[in-house]
Amino acid sequence: MTEALGLRSAVLAFLEGLAVRYGRRPRTIQTYRTALQRFLEYLSALNVDPDQHTTADLDPGIVRDFITYLEGRYREEGRALPTATRQTYLAALVGWVNFLLDEGLWRLPAEEARRLVRELRSQRGRPSPPLPRLPREEVLEALLRAARSRPAARSRRKELLRLRDLALLLVLRSSGIRVGELVALRRGDFDPAQGILWVRHGKGGKERLAFLDRAAVQALQAYLQARDAGARGKAVDHRPLFARHDRGAGDAVRPLTPEGVRRALMALAREAGLEEALTPHQFRHYFATRILEATGDLAAVQDLLGHASPTTTRRYARVSPKRLRAVHRQAFEGSEPDP
């Protein structure tokens, strides 16, 4: 089960990733911040405390009625909700809802999630928001260099952090799994002989296979072997695959959280000298686009990502210009006679 975030924390996590994820400018980010602050105030007015309630507590009906609430507040002031405000606030809300769903922070049945997003978009009458910006290969390589160049640490805790963060990068890069799925993995979900992860997702804990490349398997094995060395008791299948190694965790084997993954990525970005940290979801987009460009097989991408609907997967086709160019050349230049 994915660990839910507090509602205010989930808003902050979304806003922090806007520049990298969607390429938003500071002015737009501030506008979204204002819109989602109003949404948090709306929740408080309904006795849903954003600091006490989590994304698991979020009611789709409450999200759907946000604009109705705003319209009522404006009417009380004797004026109408401006069209530009409606569109901006709904754009921010749709972006946040998609973030929660994509990151596995809000477990809604697939059909209900699609219906909610569709209804929100219909209220603003505008096209779908842009997809997250894809990370460049050199950015990923810079992160990997930073992780690999960390010297071996004397303390066991810091050494486990070093090994874990390298494995984390390589697993995100080669598997395409959601951050919520990643932190829910247990030791028994990893099969190093076959290089696979058994990933639970969606309502009812459906399972799918996620595949790892050789580098990810080796890094994950090195991390787990270091965890087992000197640890009390034997490795147990139900223990977390990725664990916390901060001082607060102590000697207990506590699962890494989605926020912990983001903090690890931000730390690596700083060490790599990058201005922006990559978000976990950008690795997912990178994975999808790389598979699509290599194979052109949208059905395979859908299965690998665990999408219930091919409509969701088709969004990735729009961020694969290399693949589109290859198809265009095959259709036109390949069939035309030489001049």
Side-chain angles (χ1 to χ4, degrees):
M1 181 68 70
T2 302
E3 182 170 334
L5 279 181
L7 290 169
R8 192 181 304 279
S9 297
V11 166
L12 291 175
F14 170 67
L15 291 171
E16 288 171 0
L18 270 179
V20 176
R21 181 182 292 272
Y22 296 119
R24 299 296 192 189
R25 297 180 178 180
R27 184 174 178 179
T28 303
I29 294 173
Q30 182 55 46
T31 303
Y32 276 29
R33 188 183 305 277
T34 300
L36 292 173
Q37 180 58 41
R38 290 294 301 272
F39 178 71
L40 293 178
E41 293 169 2
Y42 157 63
L43 293 180
S44 296
L46 297 176
N47 294 320
V48 178
D49 187 341
D51 297 310
Q52 298 296 325
H53 290 76
T54 72
T55 50
D57 304 321
L58 197 56
D59 183 347
I62 289 177
V63 177
R64 191 179 293 112
D65 292 341
F66 174 50
I67 292 299
T68 303
Y69 162 82
L70 277 183
E71 289 174 336
R73 293 295 301 270
Y74 271 79
R75 278 196 301 270
E76 291 173 4
E77 298 171 2
R79 55 199 181 107
L81 177 65
T83 300
T85 300
R86 168 194 291 270
Q87 292 175 341
T88 301
Y89 279 30
L90 280 167
L93 191 59
V94 168
W96 183 63
V97 166
N98 276 327
F99 166 77
L100 297 182
L101 296 171
D102 288 342
E103 297 288 340
L105 297 171
W106 194 16
R107 297 272 183 168
L108 283 184
E111 182 54 39
E112 186 174 0
R114 287 195 296 270
R115 184 170 60 251
L116 174 61
V117 172
R118 188 166 57 245
E119 290 176 356
L120 288 174
R121 285 176 178 158
S122 69
Q123 292 183 51
R124 65 186 174 104
R126 295 189 61 179
S128 302
L131 284 167
R133 185 189 302 169
L134 286 170
R136 300 189 306 274
E137 190 76 38
E138 55 266 32
V139 174
L140 289 176
E141 289 303 320
L143 288 175
L144 285 170
R145 281 196 302 272
R148 287 172 172 146
S149 64
R150 284 174 168 174
R154 292 184 178 180
S155 76
R156 182 171 184 272
R157 182 182 67 81
K158 290 184 178 179
E159 179 64 4
L160 289 176
L161 274 174
R162 182 182 74 84
L163 294 170
R164 186 203 67 189
D165 289 353
L166 176 58
L168 188 69
L169 278 179
L170 290 167
V171 168
L172 284 171
R173 180 176 179 269
S174 69
S175 69
I177 63 177
R178 301 175 177 90
V179 67
E181 294 168 340
L182 181 139
V183 299
L185 290 168
R186 297 292 181 262
R187 298 268 308 239
D189 298 327
F190 173 44
D191 184 342
Q194 299 187 71
I196 61 174
L197 297 171
W198 289 95
V199 180
R200 289 176 293 278
H201 68 106
K203 188 175 182 180
K206 298 177 183 177
E207 286 190 338
R208 75 174 191 279
L209 286 178
F211 299 90
L212 301 175
D213 63 12
R214 187 178 304 170
V217 171
Q218 292 174 347
L220 195 49
Q221 284 183 299
Y223 163 58
L224 294 174
Q225 287 168 4
R227 252 174 63 181
D228 293 340
R232 297 177 182 176
K234 298 181 180 179
V236 181
D237 282 354
H238 69 261
R239 287 185 173 174
L241 185 63
F242 288 98
R244 288 173 51 187
H245 300 296
D246 53 278
R247 289 189 179 88
D251 294 329
V253 183
R254 302 181 189 277
L256 191 61
T257 65
E259 187 57 32
V261 174
R262 295 184 186 94
R263 283 197 296 268
L265 294 177
M266 286 190 287
L268 285 169
R270 286 193 297 270
E271 293 174 31
L274 300 176
E275 293 183 1
E276 298 282 357
L278 294 183
T279 65
H281 198 63
Q282 280 187 288
F283 285 87
R284 188 165 161 84
H285 278 264
Y286 166 83
F287 171 88
T289 305
R290 183 163 177 171
I291 295 290
L292 188 59
E293 288 182 346
T295 67
D297 191 337
L298 203 63
V301 177
Q302 179 185 345
D303 289 341
L304 287 168
L305 292 176
H307 283 159
S309 167
T311 303
T312 307
T313 313
R314 283 195 61 82
R315 299 171 69 230
Y316 293 94
R318 300 206 305 271
V319 295
S320 183
K322 286 174 61 179
R323 177 65 189 169
L324 294 177
R325 170 58 68 185
V327 170
H328 185 272
R329 282 179 176 161
Q330 181 180 356
F332 287 90
E333 299 176 22
S335 60
E336 292 181 356
D338 293 332

